[in-house]
Amino acid sequence: MAHFDRAIPPGGEGKITLKIDTRGYEGKIRKGARVYTNDPNRPTETITIEAFVKTPILVSPRSVFLNGKVTEAVTRSVDIKGDPAKSLKIEPRDFSLNHRVKYAIEEISPGAHYRVSFTSIPNVADQFRGALRLRTNYPEKPELLIFVRGRFIN
C-alpha cells in the first residue's frame, strides 16, 4: 500500500509512505516500488525496501523440489529453528506423499534446531506435489506446513 504527495513543486520535497504486509513471509525479503514523475530526465525511480521478517519459527527453505532419474534417490533438507529463548518441539501430523517420498526428522540442537530430510523412493516415475504437516508446541505457530514437489523421469 502506498501513500504519497500528489504534487511537488519544482525543487521541492515530497513524501512517500509504503506499507508491506509481511504475512506469509519469513527471513530476508526485498520489495520494490516504482515512482513515476513528469521529470523528463528521470521519468521513473525505484525505491527498494529490505527487511528481515522475524517469525516464532523459521523454516528454510519453505518448500523442496526433488527431481532426477527414476532410479535415483534424491534428498533435500529443510531447517526449522525456534526462538532461542523458548524450547521448540515438533512432531509429524500427516504426510501426503508416503508412497513417493520418505522423510526423517533430526534434532540438530535440542529444543532449538531441527532438520527434516526428504528422500525420493526410487523407481516411482511421476510428478507429484504434497506436504508434510508438523505440530509444534508454540501457541502462536501451532502448525508448520512444508511443501514437497517432485518430478522423476525414466
Side-chain angles (χ1 to χ4, degrees):
M1 182 187 331
H3 297 286
F4 53 92
D5 295 338
R6 297 242 177 233
I8 304 167
E13 292 184 11
K15 182 177 178 182
I16 299 172
T17 303
L18 299 174
K19 183 177 179 180
I20 299 172
D21 181 357
T22 59
R23 283 180 290 190
Y25 290 95
E26 57 186 39
K28 187 177 180 181
I29 64 168
R30 182 182 178 134
K31 295 290 180 181
R34 189 170 292 143
V35 178
Y36 297 93
T37 75
N38 63 355
D39 181 345
N41 296 325
R42 293 172 74 175
T44 62
E45 285 290 329
T46 301
I47 298 171
T48 303
I49 298 172
E50 292 183 4
F52 188 87
V53 179
K54 290 180 122 185
T55 58
I57 301 170
L58 181 64
V59 179
S60 178
R62 294 171 56 189
S63 65
V64 295
F65 180 56
L66 304 168
N67 68 321
K69 294 191 186 288
V70 71
T71 56
E72 298 175 320
V74 176
T75 300
R76 299 284 182 268
S77 297
V78 172
D79 285 315
I80 300 171
K81 296 179 181 177
D83 181 341
K86 182 177 179 183
S87 182
L88 172 65
K89 295 195 183 334
I90 63 170
E91 61 183 47
R93 192 159 178 198
D94 63 72
F95 186 48
S96 60
L97 296 170
N98 282 323
H99 301 293
R100 294 183 171 103
V101 177
K102 297 181 291 184
Y103 72 90
I105 300 173
E106 177 186 4
E107 192 171 21
I108 304 296
S109 176
H113 180 188
Y114 293 85
R115 180 164 295 136
V116 182
S117 297
F118 297 91
T119 303
S120 63
I121 297 172
N123 301 316
V124 180
D126 204 354
Q127 289 188 18
F128 53 83
R129 87 178 40 209
L132 172 64
R133 189 178 309 270
L134 300 168
R135 183 175 303 151
T136 82
N137 63 322
Y138 281 30
E140 64 273 27
K141 187 78 170 168
E143 188 174 88
L144 300 174
L145 202 57
I146 302 170
F147 295 99
V148 181
R149 292 183 310 126
R151 184 171 146 235
F152 288 87
I153 56 174
N154 287 319

